[in-house]
Amino acid sequence: MTATKQWHVNKNVDNLSGCPQIQEAAACLKGNEVVAFPTETVYGLGGNALSDEAIEKIYRAKGRPSDNPLIVHVASLEQLHQICDSIPDSAQKLIDAFWPGPLTIVLPKTGALSKRVTAGLSTVAVRMPEHPVAHAIIKAANLPIAAPSANSSGRPSPTLASHVLDDLNGKIAGVVDGGASGVGVESTVVDCTVEPVAILRPGGVTREQLEAVVGKVTTDPALSQPDKPPKSPGMKYQHYAPEAPVYLVAGGKEKIQELAKLAQSNHKRVGVLTTEENKCEYPMAAAVIACGKRADLASVAHCLYDSLRAFDETHVDIILSETFPMKGIGAAIMNRLSKAAGGRTIE
Ligand code: TXA
Ligand code: MG
């Protein structure tokens, strides 16, 4: 157990990469230590992508299965060319349109990276984050930085520095606290080694936005058919789960009310994951958590992981969740909720 250092930074100051907190965090990364920092999606757990030692520390701290490769984060196109052999046309268009931002692109890799980063694949997943703190740290370290979400494997991803500490305190060298992440769900992962481009994980950039730039995109069939092996290894694991089991209830609030009454009569403490619009509809539940506004799905994405984590303090026996439309960022919300539920859906 090592003490986890905390640095507080204001993401809005000028010349962030010169400030002492960022310099210290970058020095840890150069010394092959692992450090968590905010990105515009969720907090990441960063390590030098060229070092086996640093990558090993990431897998160990998270308890992450070793066959699940990491995303490499860059601050410049120069760094991208260091780690990728060739950039297909589709990837170049997506880079021009969405970087820096919440889009991860799977590309053919060079031999520069630690082999542990890509878990034996011939490709690497790369993104250029937009968050000023993430950008400043990568720039100050002057290294490509591998960074999975900074949670223990299986838990909801962290959107606050306190979430990182709840999971990883004593297991990592430090965390840079730059306030809440913005989008709230992870980046979209797209495979640009195939034509047409394929979505491997829905996320911060929507299908509609991708199609406006590269035309028709496909979706990995494993996203809708759980018996198919996913092309993104991480998608086969249960994820994002709070302590109590989650059930996704497709039948609307009447069905949730009926199930909550039934569970209560069986002496079970019921939690309901809802939104501002419906939060007064479940007086029979022991805990009701409103996750943003249904009329604004971006607000639901922003609060989703914090809401799932908040159920752990309520000591409920089960969590019943409302469902959301699959349009826009709703696809990413429903993907994360169905993972959190381990596929338990009540029609
Ligand atoms: O928003 C995000 O993407 C956050 C922040 C920190 O940047 N990172 C993140 O990393 O979500 P992680 O490790 O939690 O998820 C990475 C996903 C996994 O599903 C993994 O299997 C997939 O990307 N992945 C990584 N390399 C891949 C590759 N070469 N081919 C296919 N999928 C890959
Ligand atoms: Mg993750």
Side-chain angles (χ1 to χ4, degrees):
M1 182 107 168
T2 48
T4 296
K5 197 151 185 188
Q6 283 183 65
W7 299 278
H8 294 269
V9 296
N10 174 354
K11 67 174 185 183
N12 299 317
V13 301
D14 289 339
N15 186 25
L16 256 180
S17 50
C19 85
Q21 300 94 315
I22 299 286
Q23 287 287 325
E24 265 186 53
C28 283
L29 291 170
K30 284 195 217 173
N32 297 334
E33 294 299 334
V34 295
V35 169
F37 55 82
T39 82
E40 72 277 22
T41 57
V42 300
Y43 271 68
L45 178 60
N48 176 1
L50 310 179
S51 155
D52 291 345
E53 180 195 352
I55 302 310
E56 191 51 49
K57 286 180 185 168
I58 292 177
Y59 280 95
R60 209 179 313 132
K62 281 182 60 88
R64 183 179 177 104
S66 59
D67 67 345
N68 188 4
L70 309 178
I71 294 173
V72 179
H73 296 64
V74 296
S76 67
L77 293 177
E78 241 166 62
Q79 280 185 326
L80 170 70
H81 292 292
Q82 217 187 320
I83 60 174
C84 289
D85 259 340
S86 58
I87 313 290
D89 281 353
S90 59
Q92 192 57 56
K93 284 186 189 150
L94 293 173
I95 287 169
D96 293 343
F98 299 111
W99 279 12
L103 181 70
T104 295
I105 306 180
V106 173
L107 293 165
K109 68 168 187 180
T110 65
L113 292 165
S114 158
K115 288 200 172 56
R116 298 281 286 117
V117 170
T118 53
L121 299 177
S122 59
T123 54
V124 58
V126 195
R127 96 173 178 96
M128 187 187 286
E130 186 176 28
H131 197 290
V133 172
H135 181 84
I137 288 177
I138 302 165
K139 197 172 151 208
N142 194 24
L143 289 167
I145 299 294
S149 50
N151 51 294
S152 294
S153 240
R155 296 266 297 145
S157 301
T159 52
L160 293 170
S162 62
H163 297 159
V164 176
L165 290 169
D166 286 344
D167 284 10
L168 301 179
N169 198 7
K171 297 182 175 174
I172 60 175
V175 54
V176 181
D177 185 346
S181 334
V183 180
V185 292
E186 296 84 345
S187 61
T188 304
V189 179
V190 295
D191 185 356
C192 282
T193 67
V194 293
E195 207 37 75
V197 169
I199 298 176
L200 306 186
R201 177 178 76 177
V205 174
T206 65
R207 159 189 292 279
E208 295 82 347
Q209 288 174 301
L210 294 170
E211 289 191 330
V213 174
V214 287
K216 187 93 193 113
V217 300
T218 61
T219 303
D220 184 0
L223 286 177
S224 52
Q225 299 163 44
D227 51 319
K228 292 233 158 71
K231 276 195 75 184
S232 178
M235 299 305 285
K236 69 173 177 266
Y237 294 106
Q238 183 174 357
H239 260 119
Y240 320 115
E243 281 158 16
V246 178
Y247 291 82
L248 257 178
V249 184
K253 59 186 180 224
E254 292 76 16
K255 188 70 187 169
I256 295 184
Q257 288 161 340
E258 179 194 322
L259 292 168
K261 280 185 198 149
L262 184 67
Q264 196 204 27
S265 66
N266 288 323
H267 308 288
K268 293 255 187 279
R269 283 174 58 80
V270 180
V272 176
L273 182 67
T274 179
T275 51
E276 288 298 330
E277 289 92 334
N278 290 347
K279 69 181 177 193
C280 298
E281 301 281 347
Y282 308 105
M284 69 296 281
V288 175
I289 294 182
C291 176
K293 286 207 184 86
R294 180 167 282 279
D296 172 17
L297 288 179
S299 74
V300 176
H302 179 75
C303 305
L304 183 65
Y305 292 136
D306 188 50
S307 301
L308 287 172
R309 280 177 178 262
F311 276 111
D312 291 346
E313 256 103 79
T314 66
H315 306 292
V316 291
D317 299 305
I318 61 166
I319 299 164
L320 302 174
S321 173
E322 292 182 0
T323 57
F324 296 90
M326 289 289 283
K327 279 225 285 306
I329 193 83
I333 295 169
M334 284 301 286
N335 171 265
R336 304 315 190 267
L337 276 174
S338 59
K339 291 265 168 211
R344 287 179 294 262
T345 300
I346 300 173
E347 296 299 335

